[in-house]
């Protein structure tokens, strides 16, 4: 399985964190964390969600298979091995990386744990849907970004909507941002410059 990725050409940041070995290690970290967070669905099915207006459980619009592979391209009943699911996960991460680096130009200069948190969040959409969190990250205000990220209706209402699985995912992301902010504040790590 090839897990290597290339940094997008459009990134203007060039640091020692960007060697191909680091990029491969980063992809391995993203894949490992998403596999841990998502769990494997071997046969494509429509998952249930709670309709907050009616209080009724409803099927999702599209099916999900593998490690969170969701959309109109997923056919109900399709079977996937763990290996195929992992390859599809890598492709799905690679599709998101250009959007991430466009929204967060210094993305590749962050520690792997922070990048992993951002990727796992972007995979589920919560980071991309949080312009205030993105703005704070781009300003280098990671502790504030951690708090802002959890100031999200989906996080606050997850238990009552019976989708509480998003809470640990979002908390993980918040914790990575908070820890990095604390490291910057204490001088353990240097802030990123453009």
């Amino acid at each position: 399985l090839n897990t290597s990725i290339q940094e997008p050409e459009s990134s203007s940041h060039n640091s020692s964190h960007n060697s191909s070995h680091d990029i491969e290690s980063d992809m391995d970290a993203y894949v490992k964390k998403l596999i841990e967070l998502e769990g494997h669905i071997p046969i494509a099915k429509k998952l249930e969600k709670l309709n907050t207006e009616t209080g009724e459980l409803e099927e999702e619009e599209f099916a999900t298979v593998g490690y969170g592979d969701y959309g109109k391209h997923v056919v109900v009943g399709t079977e996937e091995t763990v290996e195929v699911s992992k390859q599809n996960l890598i492709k799905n991460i690679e599709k998101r990386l250009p959007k991430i680096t466009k929204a967060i130009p210094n993305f590749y200069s962050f520690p792997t744990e922070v990048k992993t948190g951002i990727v796992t969040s972007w995979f589920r959409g919560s980071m991309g849907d949080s312009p205030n969190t993105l703005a704070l990250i781009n300003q280098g205000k990671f502790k504030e970004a951690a708090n802002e990220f959890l100031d999200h209706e989906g996080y606050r209402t997850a238990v009552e909507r019976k989708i509480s699985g998003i809470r640990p995912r979002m908390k993980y992301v918040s914790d990575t941002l908070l820890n990095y902010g604390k490291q910057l504040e204490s001088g353990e790590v240097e802030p990123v410059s453009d």
Side-chain angles (χ1 to χ4, degrees), residues 12-151:
S12 60
H13 198 282
N14 195 5
S15 79
S16 62
H17 290 282
N18 292 336
S19 73
S20 66
H21 173 74
D22 286 346
I23 292 173
E24 286 180 29
S25 295
D26 288 345
M27 179 58 89
D28 289 342
Y30 309 154
V31 168
K32 182 178 179 185
K33 183 50 88 171
L34 277 164
I35 286 173
E36 176 189 321
L37 293 172
E38 294 297 323
H40 186 252
I41 300 173
I43 300 174
K45 62 183 177 180
K46 290 190 176 185
L47 303 177
E48 291 183 335
K49 65 178 180 179
L50 184 71
N51 181 323
T52 54
E53 291 179 17
T54 66
E56 300 289 322
L57 284 176
E58 297 177 352
E59 285 188 338
E60 291 279 355
E61 182 179 1
F62 302 113
T64 302
V65 71
Y67 298 111
D69 193 4
Y70 171 84
K72 61 185 174 187
H73 66 282
V74 179
V75 178
V76 173
T78 300
E79 292 188 40
E80 261 187 23
T81 64
V82 169
E83 191 60 31
V84 168
S85 295
K86 190 172 179 182
Q87 290 170 356
N88 288 335
L89 175 60
I90 291 166
K91 288 177 192 171
N92 285 329
I93 293 169
E94 288 174 336
K95 279 189 223 173
R96 287 166 174 83
L97 285 171
K99 293 177 184 173
I100 293 170
T101 56
K102 182 176 181 184
I104 307 171
N106 283 332
F107 172 78
Y108 281 110
S109 64
F110 299 149
T112 299
E113 185 72 14
V114 175
K115 289 183 282 192
T116 302
I118 291 169
V119 167
T120 60
S121 171
W122 212 283
F123 197 79
R124 282 296 182 177
S126 48
M127 179 74 72
D129 294 338
S130 184
N132 293 340
T133 302
L134 292 172
L136 290 165
I137 289 171
N138 286 325
Q139 294 167 26
K141 298 178 178 179
F142 291 89
K143 289 169 64 177
E144 294 88 341
N147 291 329
E148 177 63 32
F149 184 67
L150 293 184
D151 187 16

Side-chain angles (χ1 to χ4, degrees), residues 142-179:
F142 291 89
K143 289 169 64 177
E144 294 88 341
N147 291 329
E148 177 63 32
F149 184 67
L150 293 184
D151 187 16
H152 186 281
E153 184 174 347
Y155 183 79
R156 287 190 301 270
T157 63
V159 174
E160 68 190 58
R161 292 174 32 221
K162 299 187 181 183
I163 54 168
S164 58
I166 69 169
R167 287 181 63 87
R169 290 182 187 128
M170 292 184 75
K171 182 76 167 81
Y172 163 75
V173 175
S174 176
D175 287 348
T176 63
L177 296 172
L178 181 62
N179 290 338

